[in-house]
Amino acid sequence: MDVNAAVAALAAIAGVCTGVIAMLAFRWSERDQARPTRTSLHTDAVLPPGVDTVLSVLRSSAVVLDESDSVVKASSAAYALGLVRGGKLAVEPMLSMARDTRRDGEIRQVELDLARRGTGRGEALAVSARVAPLGSRLVLLLVEDLTEARRIEAVRRDFVANVSHELKTPTGALSLLSEAVMDASDDPEAVTRFAGRMQIEATRLTNLVQELIDLSRVQNDDPLEDSEPVSVDELVAEAVDRSRHTATTKQITMASGGTADLRVWGSRGQLAAALGNLVENAVNYSPAHTRVGIAARKIAAPGGDLIEIAVTDQGIGIPDKDKERVFERFYRVDPARSRATGGTGLGLAIVKHVAASHGGEVTVWSTEGQGSTFTLRLPEAGAARDRRPDPAPTPDLMTEPLPAPEVLP
């Protein structure tokens, strides 16, 4: 009996122990399930409510890091910039900022120049990075791409510097000439000579200011707002009349030809200014007793027919090294000759902008000592209404000038 009682007592004790162990195991399992795992930290669930939605609408590149520097959330722009690779932040300065912010909770900001991803060029990507704590464990990194803003700012600085230089030349000349007139008040012949020079400089200054106004206008105005079918014949006639006096003075023959009754779609004022600049340049840079021709024709192109207006001269021509730059603001192939002709260096820049804003282009063919042909291509009026300023690629550019008008030899 004593043995049976002992066995029963041992069995009871074993049952109690088993129950206690089972209860402890159950409690431990519940606690383990409630504890966040390392994997769960890399899901969207760890983000505070609403943060995911906010990050999705930000224009900046966004990256969220956890306490182990792993990427919890990253926008597509962050991947495109090469900020995130293999689930890690790939930019060491930004990673150091994130660690410092996680340690002390302070917001930090820095501007960096990063190498462009996937290019062998030395161009740098300018960015502004801002790091801030996000909750108790996460860090938020916002990166703004400043590359285009810096480029525009550089262009603006160069433009202001060029304008200042161009304005300084005629205003300085007027100041000196006015002093010369005062000193030569008792010499009528000298006064007449200096007054003539003052008139030339004043005209140059007026032309520069007017072309700055024209450039500003074509950049700010949308040609589609006041677009209309514009007769090419009328544009050519207006451009010829604009330069007729100068051509007559230099005994330059001006002739027009090509296909008649063509029409383009756009702003009449801007198109007249563009073609007028091309014809005026052809006359100004041509020697005396030469010819300037204007020819128009229609060509087929993907997306709709194009109208080509070619202006051909027998002038000094353009060196190969300068052909790509003649459409830049204030760029002159021969600065000395530009001063003699009163050129400002803005005429071709206006032409290029007008062509681009109308969904067209302007190209140049030139040989030194033989002359140049500037070709303005614009959508035809019938096909241009549905065409935007960024059209589909056009056919290969002409490498030879259009044939001269029939009235030319």
Side-chain angles (χ1 to χ4, degrees):
M1 295 294 295
D2 294 337
V3 173
N4 292 335
V7 172
L10 290 174
I13 294 173
V16 171
C17 291
T18 301
V20 171
I21 292 173
M23 183 178 295
L24 291 176
F26 178 75
R27 292 291 180 86
W28 181 268
S29 176
E30 284 188 333
R31 182 183 302 177
D32 188 63
Q33 291 179 3
R35 183 186 302 125
T37 62
R38 184 178 182 87
T39 303
S40 69
L41 290 174
H42 299 275
T43 65
D44 291 343
V46 302
L47 292 176
V51 172
D52 193 13
T53 303
V54 172
L55 295 182
S56 65
V57 299
L58 286 178
R59 301 181 65 179
S60 305
S61 302
V63 180
V64 179
L65 303 175
D66 63 12
E67 63 265 28
S68 63
D69 293 333
S70 296
V71 175
V72 176
K73 181 75 176 180
S75 64
S76 57
Y79 286 98
L81 290 178
L83 304 179
V84 178
R85 300 176 189 173
K88 295 288 184 179
L89 186 62
V91 183
E92 185 60 34
M94 296 181 187
L95 188 58
S96 298
M97 288 175 55
R99 290 169 179 168
D100 293 340
T101 295
R102 185 185 300 112
R103 184 180 62 254
D104 56 26
E106 292 185 4
I107 297 176
R108 289 175 169 81
Q109 184 170 352
V110 68
E111 291 189 2
L112 301 171
D113 291 333
L114 308 178
R116 286 185 181 271
R117 184 180 180 183
T119 64
R121 299 173 296 179
E123 300 177 0
L125 189 69
V127 299
S128 174
R130 186 177 180 86
V131 181
L134 185 64
S136 59
R137 297 193 304 262
L138 305 180
V139 173
L140 173 63
L141 171 67
L142 295 178
V143 180
E144 190 78 22
D145 187 356
L146 304 178
T147 307
E148 184 65 13
R150 285 191 179 181
R151 187 192 67 81
I152 294 175
E153 182 61 28
V155 171
R156 183 180 294 109
R157 286 197 304 268
D158 291 343
F159 181 73
V160 172
N162 287 330
V163 170
S164 300
H165 174 74
E166 296 295 333
L167 291 174
K168 183 178 179 181
T169 301
T171 53
L174 287 172
S175 177
L176 293 175
L177 288 170
S178 63
E179 293 179 4
V181 169
M182 294 178 62
D183 294 339
S185 57
D186 56 347
D187 186 350
E189 184 178 348
V191 170
T192 301
R193 184 172 67 255
F194 291 142
R197 289 296 306 168
M198 291 179 67
Q199 187 175 17
I200 292 174
E201 296 299 333
T203 301
R204 178 179 300 174
L205 182 60
T206 301
N207 292 338
L208 175 59
V209 172
Q210 183 59 51
E211 291 205 344
L212 286 172
I213 294 173
D214 293 341
L215 181 60
S216 176
R217 181 179 295 116
V218 300
Q219 287 179 328
N220 294 329
D221 293 347
D222 184 0
L224 299 179
E225 292 182 356
D226 58 349
S227 295
E228 60 179 334
V230 180
S231 169
V232 174
D233 293 338
E234 294 178 2
L235 293 177
V236 172
E238 186 174 336
V240 170
D241 287 341
R242 172 175 165 178
S243 299
R244 189 180 302 278
H245 176 71
T246 304
T248 302
T249 302
K250 298 175 66 174
Q251 297 184 357
I252 292 176
T253 302
M254 302 180 68
S256 59
T259 306
D261 299 326
L262 298 176
R263 290 180 178 272
V264 294
W265 184 264
S267 168
R268 178 182 178 83
Q270 291 190 17
L271 293 174
L275 185 58
N277 285 345
L278 290 180
V279 175
E280 187 176 27
N281 274 4
V283 173
N284 288 338
Y285 288 90
S286 293
H289 308 289
T290 56
R291 295 175 182 265
V292 170
I294 306 99
R297 69 176 183 179
K298 181 195 297 187
I299 64 171
D305 293 340
L306 295 175
I307 303 300
E308 283 190 346
I309 308 173
V311 179
T312 304
D313 63 58
Q314 298 173 328
I316 59 176
I318 302 172
D320 291 338
K321 63 181 180 64
D322 295 313
K323 289 180 182 178
E324 296 298 325
R325 301 195 60 190
V326 293
F327 297 103
E328 295 179 10
R329 299 170 182 172
F330 298 110
Y331 186 80
R332 299 182 178 92
V333 176
D334 185 354
R337 186 174 181 86
S338 294
R339 286 192 294 270
T341 60
T344 63
L346 290 174
L348 292 180
I350 293 175
V351 175
K352 181 179 180 180
H353 191 89
V354 170
S357 64
H358 282 74
E361 64 178 354
V362 59
T363 59
V364 59
W365 175 93
S366 184
T367 300
E368 287 188 85
Q370 297 184 19
S372 304
T373 294
F374 285 85
T375 302
L376 183 63
R377 294 185 180 89
L378 299 166
E380 187 189 18
R385 301 188 186 194
D386 300 326
R387 192 164 178 163
R388 302 302 297 176
D390 295 327
T394 55
D396 292 339
L397 303 181
M398 293 175 59
T399 56
E400 297 292 337
L402 287 175
E406 296 180 0
V407 294
L408 296 180

